[in-house]
Amino acid sequence: MITIERLTVVRYKRLRKVDIVFPDRASILIEGNNEAGKSTLFEAIHFGLFGEHLGGCTHAEAIPHDADFAQVSVVVRIDLGDGPPDTLRVEREIRSVGRRIVPQAAVYVLRGNGEGERVTSVSPANRRIIMELGGLTSEALLNSCFVPQKQLGSLEVQDRRQR
């Protein structure tokens, strides 16, 4: 089982500063006015895990106009039932440097036995995250438990193999 333990966001899209520690067991309701940032919380989790934005957003568009960076950190517990759970902390940053947008990523893996490892650089971090999540890809997550706002119809047109 993969459980989100914590989400920390600094200047991602319209979110300014968010730090949510999720309880071990709970049903969580996210409520708010239109355009309050409810969907952006889910987008931040997705970006944190996979380095991809939803809805065709680019790295540059994810950085607020009044900032030169955006940061997202997601901590997940991975419990495969064959020993103590592992903890995976993914930290992503997008920085505007002059006219360039520079994405960065770091993954910290803490094994249930106390051993730890750090992987940096975007591509190796992305591969390691998918490996640690047992092969869970961005597409699989989106098709199984998170359907972006106004895209529910996309599931209806997919055949069983695609879902």
Side-chain angles (χ1 to χ4, degrees), residues 46-63:
H46 184 268
F47 171 69
L49 290 175
F50 299 106
E52 301 172 3
H53 308 284
L54 300 176
C57 177
T58 66
H59 283 331
E61 293 167 334
I63 300 172

Side-chain angles (χ1 to χ4, degrees), residues 4 6-13 15 39-64 69-76 89-95 101-107 122 125-126 129-130 133 137-139 141-142 146 148:
I4 299 171
R6 186 175 200 150
L7 171 66
T8 306
V9 179
V10 179
R11 293 186 171 103
Y12 180 75
K13 293 188 173 185
L15 299 176
S39 295
T40 309
L41 287 172
F42 292 104
E43 291 179 37
I45 292 168
H46 184 268
F47 171 69
L49 290 175
F50 299 106
E52 301 172 3
H53 308 284
L54 300 176
C57 177
T58 66
H59 283 331
E61 293 167 334
I63 300 172
F69 72 95
Q71 294 174 327
V72 174
S73 172
V74 181
V75 178
V76 296
R89 186 174 85 226
V90 182
E91 296 178 353
R92 295 201 185 260
E93 181 176 285
I94 313 162
R95 190 164 288 279
I101 301 296
V102 180
Q104 297 175 327
V107 179
V122 175
N126 290 344
I129 292 162
I130 291 172
L133 295 177
T137 63
S138 165
E139 185 176 77
L141 176 69
L142 292 176
F146 175 55

Side-chain angles (χ1 to χ4, degrees), residues 69-88:
F69 72 95
Q71 294 174 327
V72 174
S73 172
V74 181
V75 178
V76 296
R77 182 177 57 248
I78 303 167
D79 189 353
L80 302 177
D82 58 350
D86 298 334
T87 300
L88 185 70

Side-chain angles (χ1 to χ4, degrees), residues 82 131 156:
D82 58 350
M131 184 191 85
E156 294 172 349

